Each structure stands twice: as C-alpha cells, then as structure tokens.
Amino acid sequence: MGEYRPNEIEKKWQDIWDKKGTFYASDDTEKPKFYALIEFPYPSGLGLHVGHPRPYTALDVVSRKRRMEGYNVLYPMGWDAFGLPTENYAIKNKIHPAIVTERNIRKFKEQLKSLGLSFDWSREINTTDPEYYKWTQWIFLKMYQKGLAYKKEASINWCPDCKVGLSNEEVVGGACERCGTEVSRKVKNQWMLKITEYADRLVEDLKDLDYLDKIKAQQINWIGKSEGMEIDFELSTGDKLRVYTTRPDTLYGVSYMVISPEHSIIDKLKNQIENMDEIEEYKEYASKKSDFERTELAKTKTGVEIKGIKAINPVSKEEIPVWISDYVLVSYGTGAVMSVPGHDTRDWEFAKKFDLPIIEVVKGGNIEEEAYTDTNTGIIVNSELINGLEVKEAKEKISKYLEENGIGKKKTNYKLRDWVFSRQRYWGEPIPMVHCDSCGWVPVPEEELPVVLPEVESYEPSDDGESPLSKIDNWVNTECPNCKKAAKRETDTMPQWAGSSWYFLRYIDPNNDKEFANRDKLDYWMPVDWYNGGMEHTTLHLLYSRFWYKFLYDLDLVPGKEPYNKRTSHGMILGENNEKMSKSRGNVVNPDEVVEEFGADTLRLYEMFIGDFEKSVSWSENGVKGCRRFLERVWKLQDILVEGNEYSKELESNFHKTIKKVSQDYENMKYNTGIASLMTLLNDINSNGKLNKEEFKTFLILLNPVSPHITEELWEIAGFEGYLNETTWPIWDEEKTIDDIIEMAVQVNGKVRGIIEISKEASKEEANEKALSNDKVKSFIEGKNIVKEIYVPGRIYNIVVK
C-alpha cells in the first residue's frame, strides 16, 4: 500500500472528470431531474476564501448522491461579473474592467476546480458576455412594453469624490464606504422597475415553498404589507397633511406630528414657517445619512419643530405641533406620521427628549416609565368616540366615522418601494433605450440587441454625476428607431442585480442565440429544486429574482409561478479568533494553502464537519488536521480488506444504520452528524479487525460525496468495476437498523424506577429476572408483594406491588 498523497490523487481525478464530462447534465427528459443551484460568485481580485467552499460543497454532496440515485443532475456555475468593485479597481489601476474580470474569473475557476466540485462547466455563464446580457436587455424591454419600467425623479446617495450614486448599503456613518467622503442626497431622473405591482403575489406565493421560516419572514417583512387608513390632518394654514396608519383607534393619543425633511409641504409653506433657516440647516444634516441610518431604532432622536404651523387633531380638535425628523422617510407612506408616544417606543423617546405630551389611549402599562406597546388587544381610554371599546371594535367604529366624515379612507400600504434600476457607472449592462426630442423614450429594436458596452478611455464618472458613457459622442448620438431623427442613447447602466435576477434560466440553455432559453428545456428543468446561498441575499436578490420570474411567467415564457422550490442558507466561517474574516483583522484563511498542505478532500470534509451548516462557526487548524487523520485511516483500510460480497454478521447492522443516517443527514443539511456516523463506523470496522469488499464499497460510496478523490482512488485500487461515481447509492433495510438489544423502562406501580438492557424479543420470564436483579428496582419492591406484572415486549415492564 502506497502513501496517501492527495495532491497527486486529486489532480488525476479532476482531469479524468474534465475529459469525460462526468458531471455534464443531459436533456434526457426520461430521467427524473434534480436542479441544484448555488449563488454564482462575484469574481473579485482576492479570489476564494474558505467561506466559499462551504455552500458549494454542501450542494455538491447532495448532487453527487442524487446522481448515484439515478437523477439527471444539473449543478451549474457562472459569474456575476458586472459591478462597482471591478470598476473602482479599473479606475485606480488604469486597467480595463473586462481585463480585470477575465483575470479574476480565471483565478476563481482554477480554485473551484481544485476543490473537485461537480459543476457542469459546459453551461458556464458570465453576466458581462454580450450574448448573455442581450437577454437581460430583452427582458427589460418586455418590462418597458408592459409598463413595468419607467423613468422618475428619485433621490440617491451621492459621493462627490467617487462621483457616483451609492446604494444605502454603501453608505456608512454618513460617508462613502470606499473613500470615506461625506455623502449628500441628490435627485436624479432614474429608471425604475414596478416591483410593487407584484407585492401581494410575492407574499402570498411563499406559503407553498420549502423555504426556511427565517427566509420567508425576511421576504414578508421587507415587503411590509399592512392594512390601514390614510387620514387628513388639517393645518392652521388651511392646507392638509395626509398620514398613513394601521392604528386609527389611537388617534386621540396623537400629541404631535412628524414629517420627512424632504416633504414637499415645507417648500409650499416656507413663507409661513418662522424658522426656515433652522429647517434648511436640519434638511442639510439629514441629507448626509442613508435611509438605513435614518430609520435605525437605536439612534439618537433628532428633529426641529416647524414654528408658525400647527396641525389639528381630526377627532379631538386640539392643536398639535408639527416637527421634521430624519427618522421619517419621504419614500415610505406619505412622508408624514401621526405620533402616539404613549404606545410607540420611538415616539415616546422623541416626546421625552423634546418634552412633548404623552397620552394613554390603550389601558395598561405605565406610560410615564415607557411606551405601552402590547396593544393588539385591550380597552380604549381617553378617547371620546370609542371609550371603553376593545381595540378591534374601536378600530372598526373610528374607521367608519372617519370615512363617513371625509377625514380618512381605507388603504393597503407596503414598505416595498419600486426598484431604482439606473446606475451612473460604466461597468454594467447598457439600458437599451433611446431618447428622441420628438418621440420621447423609444426602445432599441429587438433585432439590434445587444446594445454592446463600448470601449472607453476613462471610467471616471463626469463631475455632474453622469455615466462615463455620456462622454462617448459617437456611441451616444444615434438615430431614433421610430422617426429616424437624431436621438441619444441612454447612458445609465443596469445595476449588478439585473444579471443575477434570471441567471438560473440561462444555465438551462446557455448557447441559445434565438431566445433566452428553449421552452421545452425550461419545462423539464424548472423550477430549481434546491437553491442555497447566504442570508445576506435572502431579501433583495431573492425578491428581485422572484419578481423577474413572475413577470416572465405572466408572459407565458416559463413554467410555474415560482423559480425555486427550496431555499436554504448557510452560516459564515469565522476566523480562529471568532471574528469575521478580513484582511484588516489578519485572520483570512486561503483555501489554496489548505488544499496544498492537506488536500481538497480534507478541506471539503472539514467544512462539512465543522458544525451546524446553518450557523456561523470558527475556523480551527486543529480541526483540519483531525479530518486529514481520518482520511489517512480510511486510506489504511486497504490493509484489512478481505474477500466477501455481502455484509458480515458482525458489521451488518452497523452498515444499515450508517446508510440510513448518512442518506438522511446529507438531505437534511446535517452533514456534520452524517460524517460523525462514518467516523463511528470506521472505529467499528477497525475494532472488528477486517473489512470485506462489499462493506468497503458501501463505505466508499457513503464518503464519496464529501471526499470524492480519495474514494475514487481507493475504488480503483481495490479493482471494483467502473468508476465509483457511476455506481448506485446503497439502500438500507429498516429491520436491520433496529438493535436486537434495547433499553427498556421498568415501572413499579406505574412509575419508572429503573432501566434494563434486554433483547426486544425477550420472554416475560427473562424480563422479570432482569428487572428483579436491578438494584434500583429492587429497592422499591423489597418487603412488598408482587400482585401483577404487565409486560409489553420491546417496550415496557410494569410491576404492581402492595
């Protein structure tokens, strides 16, 4: 027996799999299909870190198992390659983003192949390939034709140094995450996608999906559907301020109002506002914060009272002050809120800070100490029209009153906003629209797609915040497809989310130049059976891709109303110091180094064995070494291999139990406990002192999805027929997983007094003998008469004494 040399073994088998196309999916519709999907990575210059292989290996385990169970498996890979990081790198280093992207993809692909992942590389896609983004543009045009894509003035976070608009996630502490420059708010004419039109369906259709509960909750909370009322508060100027509330029953508790710093009524009433300078100063202060920072619950409350203006409570008729504060967003609801500090924590903290009245309107709690928020039920107080009513009844009565008096109307509201789809950047898909002074916005004809991203000398945005594309006159200046007059191309590009919203469909038919995918192939492969990714993408990416799919379903271009049957998520791998891995913390682990020193099979085994797949775990080099030692023990099984074509009596039960455990645990993402059962079986084998060929086959098959290279090599060395990956997954016999010797409870007068080990087929006499010899049981029957014995074989033995 030679020494275990993973570097030689792993390269050998990776080359064999590549040459044979071992993991290429076929379009053989006679076989049951299994479509496994992981989020395709952004190919950064840093390459893979050890967090990447965790989800990739997890679904690789399931995919390898399913192939051996007779499934036609599609497990594809591609690249989400447009985006700001590459553009920033290109600007800094004067290298074209396409060159940077190509180099990064080459590095990523080498790393992934070194891990032995069973991806179907024949279906590889790249969002920056014009033959791919042609269909991204095509889908956008279909949305435009259906009224789902439109232009609108929208506020963005503006970085004056980078000269780009930033997403909320790219603003930290009021500054640009990349350069640290203070951001401001800027209004730009942006392309929008009307995702709100699908809000109800995006919530309702979750109920039939196999998603983790926490993922469903994230989707529902982000959409934020609520049933309430829009209510008009009259102002002392004669104008009206409209609010949205789900709690009209608390109207008598409104002691002040708050509007967004961007609310239009401020400009309308600026001549009546007595402290306009103070208001303008606060507006400037608020403009430097992202929406996330403004609505963070734990933040310090800030605001300014608008002097010279009062609001009238529509039911109590009392005058109340109007404030502006940054925690109210103009993009949500009406941009104005009625504040009920007695029963809302944020309102209570605001009222306490600025010494505003706090009124109890739902009985219970102590509003002097804190807001009483347990108000879904309860009795209404201090509310003339609805005093003494229970909350539900009070809501109905006050709502009817408001509608009858023209003060309010019922309204369904959503936190979800339409999707801002424009980016003033170079490295993205061109938006296939042309603006003509005569015709307005005109779609590029479908036969002219793709609108290809042109070469540019500079990727720097212009000082006015326009895309670098705006500087290329010979690309911008074009002809109107309608009237043939001079026109200009749209110079904004699509966000990175665009290409990732439908990529799973292109894997099905990646080389089709006539349509985004053939319908017969879509009918066979869709929906995705199992989609795994990080929790950070289970809100927006998942929402956006479900929205795009539903739109295509409405056009009868895809089967079924949902793209993914099952969505799971994985925990992060932290550094050995239990902190998130980062270069600044010096705790990043390079998977290349682990593969070089210990082998890819060890890395795969460790990442599946490290802990609960759904939870974050800390890296441990000692753990890696332990997994390598396990594989070396597996390698040494050759030393005790004997002939035999069926399980031996000594190990038969152990094997059936392990087959069941491993099979179920792989499917339920309990990889760590499945591997632990293999480790236990290995101990049992070594204790037995020998292992026959049938048992060796089964052991190698069970371990193969996790550590495929060593198991293929051992299969070949043992002289087994064909390749391991072409064999059949073992099946357990349920009867043989049940232990003959069991633990059984012994009761005395109905109470458990001891536990005995006994054969499940033991006679009553044997049970009696075992029970009476148990010291604990004896102590409860000594000096007493046994009047009755109740024995249920394999379950319980009850002794009745007096």
Side-chain angles (χ1 to χ4, degrees):
M1 179 188 72
E3 186 182 348
Y4 173 44
R5 300 180 187 275
N7 293 339
E8 295 174 11
I9 293 169
E10 289 166 2
K11 182 67 170 68
K12 166 188 169 180
W13 286 103
Q14 288 160 16
D15 288 346
I16 290 172
W17 297 332
D18 268 354
K19 187 176 180 180
K20 286 178 58 64
T22 299
F23 306 118
Y24 290 2
S26 73
D27 292 315
D28 177 6
T29 59
E30 296 301 311
K31 293 178 71 176
K33 64 94 178 179
F34 178 68
Y35 186 176
L37 181 70
I38 45 94
E39 291 169 346
F40 61 166
Y42 182 81
S44 74
L46 298 175
L48 290 179
H49 57 73
V50 290
H52 283 103
R54 196 179 193 199
Y56 301 168
T57 305
L59 276 198
D60 192 50
V61 168
V62 179
S63 296
R64 286 175 176 273
K65 172 178 174 287
R66 292 291 184 97
R67 289 188 190 96
M68 287 190 272
E69 290 175 323
Y71 286 87
N72 185 15
V73 174
L74 173 57
Y75 188 36
M77 174 50 84
W79 314 103
D80 189 12
F82 274 130
L84 186 59
T86 297
E87 185 167 325
N88 286 339
Y89 184 90
I91 291 169
K92 182 179 179 180
N93 295 280
K94 311 300 182 187
I95 304 173
H96 195 285
I99 296 172
V100 177
T101 299
E102 183 182 358
R103 184 180 66 198
N104 292 348
I105 287 175
R106 188 163 56 248
K107 172 65 174 173
F108 260 65
K109 189 170 181 178
E110 287 173 2
Q111 289 181 296
L112 289 175
K113 285 201 164 189
S114 76
L115 297 174
L117 297 160
S118 64
F119 292 133
D120 180 349
W121 288 107
S122 72
R123 296 170 185 256
E124 180 182 359
I125 59 173
N126 181 337
T127 57
T128 68
D129 180 354
E131 290 307 307
Y132 178 86
Y133 68 69
K134 167 185 178 178
W135 299 107
T136 309
Q137 293 173 340
W138 183 85
I139 295 170
F140 174 86
L141 291 182
K142 293 297 178 187
M143 288 186 171
Y144 179 77
Q145 291 164 11
K146 294 294 182 179
L148 292 176
Y150 64 97
K151 269 242 167 173
K152 176 188 174 183
E153 293 287 316
S155 178
I156 63 170
N157 301 305
W158 173 251
C159 174
D161 186 55
C162 296
K163 301 173 186 174
V164 295
L166 304 173
S167 69
N168 287 333
E169 293 75 20
E170 293 165 335
V171 180
V172 179
C176 173
E177 181 181 40
R178 187 177 74 87
C179 71
T181 303
E182 197 174 74
V183 303
S184 60
R185 303 291 281 188
K186 190 171 186 175
V187 174
K188 281 195 65 67
N189 202 247
Q190 305 268 59
W191 283 101
M192 313 284 289
L193 295 187
K194 201 179 291 184
I195 189 173
T196 50
E197 192 165 302
Y198 284 74
D200 282 336
R201 289 165 63 185
L202 288 167
V203 171
E204 290 164 6
D205 292 343
L206 284 169
K207 64 180 181 295
D208 299 322
L209 301 175
D210 183 12
Y211 287 12
L212 295 174
D213 288 342
K214 61 183 177 182
I215 293 175
K216 288 186 178 182
Q218 278 189 337
Q219 296 269 291
I220 292 167
N221 292 341
W222 189 268
I223 294 167
K225 180 179 180 179
S226 61
E227 305 286 343
M229 294 197 78
E230 282 188 339
I231 301 172
D232 288 329
F233 281 67
E234 192 170 332
L235 299 179
S236 54
T237 59
D239 298 274
K240 289 183 178 178
L241 199 55
R242 179 166 290 179
V243 302
Y244 172 80
T245 179
T246 60
R247 295 302 300 270
D249 54 305
T250 64
L251 262 174
Y252 283 93
V254 178
S255 58
Y256 64 98
M257 298 190 74
V258 183
I259 63 173
S260 162
E262 299 85 8
H263 201 290
S264 60
I265 205 158
I266 294 173
D267 284 335
K268 183 179 180 183
L269 301 179
K270 61 185 178 182
N271 293 331
Q272 286 101 315
I273 296 173
E274 298 170 0
N275 58 335
M276 198 61 199
D277 288 345
E278 188 181 12
I279 299 296
E280 291 289 358
E281 187 178 331
Y282 186 81
K283 286 174 67 176
E284 176 66 20
Y285 160 80
S287 73
K288 295 173 182 176
K289 294 185 178 182
S290 71
D291 289 354
F292 176 78
E293 290 173 302
R294 285 174 56 169
T295 55
E296 193 178 7
L297 290 175
K299 79 178 193 70
T300 303
K301 305 300 180 287
T302 63
V304 175
E305 183 180 356
I306 304 176
K307 294 178 181 175
I309 295 173
K310 295 288 184 183
I312 314 297
N313 186 310
V315 288
S316 71
K317 306 304 180 185
E318 294 182 4
E319 279 197 347
I320 55 176
V322 181
W323 289 67
I324 64 168
S325 179
D326 60 3
Y327 76 79
V328 179
L329 302 179
V330 74
S331 59
Y332 179 62
T334 64
V337 299
M338 57 179 233
S339 297
V340 186
H343 305 289
D344 181 276
T345 299
R346 184 164 52 188
D347 292 347
W348 187 90
E349 290 172 352
F350 193 92
K352 279 292 183 181
K353 178 169 181 178
F354 295 106
D355 197 25
L356 295 163
I358 300 174
I359 304 166
E360 179 185 46
V361 289
V362 183
K363 194 174 182 179
N366 181 353
I367 61 171
E368 290 303 314
E369 296 295 326
E370 62 181 353
Y372 176 59
T373 58
D374 188 16
T375 58
N376 288 331
T377 58
I379 303 300
I380 301 295
V381 296
N382 299 321
S383 306
E384 184 181 348
L385 285 171
I386 49 177
N387 263 333
L389 297 181
E390 210 279 333
V391 164
K392 184 179 179 183
E393 192 180 354
K395 272 188 184 180
E396 293 171 0
K397 184 173 181 180
I398 197 75
S399 297
K400 185 178 180 182
Y401 170 84
L402 294 170
E403 286 193 301
E404 287 176 348
N405 287 274
I407 300 169
K409 60 180 180 180
K410 290 182 179 177
K411 171 88 186 227
T412 300
N413 208 6
Y414 303 89
K415 283 198 295 186
L416 180 68
R417 304 290 91 193
D418 278 348
W419 177 3
V420 180
F421 202 67
S422 293
R423 297 292 186 270
Q424 293 72 49
R425 297 170 183 165
Y426 170 70
W427 197 232
E429 301 93 333
I431 294 175
M433 299 294 292
V434 169
H435 190 268
C436 167
D437 289 339
S438 300
C439 304
W441 285 105
V442 181
V444 171
E446 289 180 13
E447 60 271 17
E448 294 181 18
L449 297 179
V451 177
V452 178
L453 200 61
E455 290 283 341
V456 294
E457 291 182 8
S458 170
Y459 318 112
E460 290 271 5
S462 55
D463 290 335
D464 60 1
E466 295 303 317
S467 162
L469 294 177
S470 65
K471 303 172 187 175
I472 309 174
D473 290 341
N474 63 356
W475 186 81
V476 173
N477 296 320
T478 187
E479 179 182 89
C480 174
N482 278 352
C483 68
K484 307 305 178 185
K485 293 180 182 177
K488 292 186 180 293
R489 292 189 187 279
E490 172 60 81
T491 60
D492 283 358
T493 53
M494 299 184 192
Q496 188 177 353
W497 301 103
S500 64
S501 290
W502 73 281
Y503 73 109
F504 51 93
L505 297 172
R506 190 62 175 174
Y507 282 138
I508 290 170
D509 197 9
N511 301 311
N512 193 328
D513 61 358
K514 300 291 190 295
E515 53 196 338
F516 68 87
N518 174 271
R519 181 56 193 263
D520 289 339
K521 293 181 180 181
L522 289 167
D523 286 343
Y524 173 61
W525 283 112
M526 289 301 293
V528 172
D529 294 284
W530 191 338
Y531 188 17
N532 187 83
M535 278 302 291
E536 70 272 19
H537 295 140
T538 52
T539 303
L540 293 182
H541 160 64
L542 196 58
L543 207 59
Y544 292 158
S545 60
R546 291 179 62 221
F547 160 51
W548 277 48
Y549 191 83
K550 286 178 178 297
F551 169 70
L552 294 172
Y553 172 70
D554 290 347
L555 298 183
D556 196 29
L557 297 174
V558 294
K561 58 187 179 181
E562 285 285 339
Y564 320 116
N565 264 349
K566 180 175 184 174
R567 182 58 157 86
T568 55
S569 189
H570 57 276
M572 293 172 58
I573 293 184
L574 307 173
E576 291 213 53
N577 57 1
N578 208 34
E579 295 180 354
K580 185 176 179 180
M581 285 190 184
S582 70
K583 289 180 71 176
S584 62
R585 293 189 177 98
N587 63 352
V588 173
V589 178
N590 186 332
D592 294 354
E593 295 172 2
V594 180
V595 170
E596 178 65 29
E597 183 174 359
F598 299 102
D601 280 338
T602 294
L603 176 61
R604 291 170 58 109
L605 179 71
Y606 175 66
E607 296 222 354
M608 293 300 92
F609 186 59
I610 193 172
D612 187 332
F613 183 69
E614 294 179 39
K615 295 178 181 175
S616 293
V617 287
S618 296
W619 184 264
S620 166
E621 187 166 339
N622 285 333
V624 177
K625 291 175 180 177
C627 286
R628 172 59 187 263
R629 286 194 296 272
F630 169 73
L631 291 182
E632 287 172 345
R633 292 176 67 209
V634 172
W635 184 258
K636 290 176 182 176
L637 286 176
Q638 300 171 73
D639 290 344
I640 59 171
L641 190 60
V642 299
E643 293 298 324
N645 56 12
E646 60 182 33
Y647 301 145
S648 63
K649 182 180 178 183
E650 294 84 357
L651 293 174
E652 182 178 45
S653 177
N654 306 59
F655 267 92
H656 283 282
K657 287 180 193 174
T658 307
I659 295 168
K660 178 180 180 180
K661 178 72 174 163
V662 169
S663 299
Q664 294 178 343
D665 282 358
Y666 283 175
E667 293 288 343
N668 293 319
M669 297 193 305
K670 298 184 182 298
Y671 306 105
N672 55 330
T673 56
I675 292 166
S677 69
L678 284 170
M679 292 177 173
T680 299
L681 181 59
L682 180 61
N683 290 336
D684 294 336
I685 290 167
N686 284 324
S687 295
N688 189 52
K690 60 182 178 180
L691 175 76
N692 72 37
K693 287 194 172 182
E694 185 64 22
E695 293 162 345
F696 195 33
K697 278 184 181 179
T698 298
F699 188 90
L700 293 177
I701 294 169
L702 295 177
L703 180 59
N704 174 264
V706 178
S707 296
H709 310 87
I710 186 175
T711 47
E712 286 275 17
E713 182 72 8
L714 287 171
W715 185 274
E716 182 181 76
I717 290 171
F720 298 141
E721 186 177 345
Y723 292 105
L724 190 159
N725 63 76
E726 295 172 343
T727 193
T728 303
W729 190 257
I731 298 172
W732 72 90
D733 183 336
E734 187 65 34
E735 283 294 315
K736 291 174 181 175
T737 66
I738 302 169
D739 287 327
D740 183 56
I741 303 299
I742 62 168
E743 289 187 341
M744 188 170 70
V746 179
Q747 295 180 341
V748 178
N749 290 346
K751 292 185 179 180
V752 176
R753 299 303 189 186
I755 302 292
I756 59 174
E757 286 191 348
I758 192 169
S759 167
K760 63 179 185 288
E761 306 294 341
S763 66
K764 184 176 179 181
E765 290 72 22
E766 290 175 293
N768 177 271
E769 183 181 344
K770 281 270 189 183
L772 296 184
S773 63
N774 182 283
D775 290 338
K776 288 185 179 178
V777 175
K778 277 197 294 188
S779 67
F780 285 96
I781 63 175
E782 280 180 348
K784 297 176 183 175
N785 294 321
I786 297 176
V787 297
K788 191 175 183 181
E789 295 172 76
I790 303 166
Y791 176 54
V792 181
R795 295 182 60 190
I796 200 161
Y797 183 52
N798 185 18
I799 304 170
V800 181
V801 299
K802 281 189 178 179

